[in-house]
Amino acid sequence: MPSEPLDSSNVVGRRMRSRREELGWSQEKVGVLIGIDESSARARISRYEVGTHEPPVETARLIAHVLGVPLAYLYCDEEDVATLLKGLAAQSVSQQKAIVTRWLQGLR
């Protein structure tokens, strides 16, 4: 049974926070890793996570990269699909290709 979609009004922020907490990282650490000045890093990441602001796509791309997830994961409102995206991204490129090939063959 598919999971319920997340409320899309702040899916990016919730995905950011969830992944950041999985890694045990502070908001400040994420901000600094994407190049935000240390003095404002925590506040800026907090604003993204609570939905006060949505990061521009290029900023979201940087955040996804430092969090080790594909950009699509941050925008995915389906929990099961987001989990698949995160798991697929954790594989090597050759494993990713093999998984996708097997999946496509299963569709035929």
Side-chain angles (χ1 to χ4, degrees):
M1 174 182 242
S3 62
E4 291 294 315
L6 290 176
D7 171 18
S8 62
S9 65
N10 188 28
V11 69
V12 173
R14 278 184 295 215
R15 292 245 179 264
M16 283 174 52
R17 181 177 184 165
S18 173
R19 180 61 177 157
R20 178 183 60 75
E21 289 177 346
E22 278 179 20
L23 295 169
W25 291 0
S26 68
Q27 292 171 330
E28 182 178 353
K29 179 174 182 168
V30 172
V32 169
L33 287 172
I34 67 165
I36 300 171
D37 185 78
E38 191 174 345
S39 65
S40 60
R42 187 207 58 77
R44 186 129 147 239
I45 296 302
S46 176
R47 286 185 200 111
Y48 294 154
E49 288 184 358
V50 299
T52 304
H53 298 288
E54 184 166 325
V57 173
E58 283 308 311
T59 302
R61 188 181 316 280
L62 291 171
I63 292 168
H65 177 75
V66 301
L67 294 176
V69 294
L71 179 62
Y73 169 83
L74 295 181
Y75 290 93
C76 185
D77 64 354
E78 297 284 340
E79 193 62 40
D80 292 341
V81 176
T83 300
L84 287 171
L85 287 168
K86 187 169 66 171
L88 187 61
Q91 306 301 311
S92 69
V93 173
S94 62
Q95 290 171 317
Q96 289 176 8
K97 288 180 182 180
I99 291 166
V100 170
T101 299
R102 284 195 308 269
W103 181 76
L104 289 172
Q105 289 170 346
L107 293 177
R108 294 182 187 142

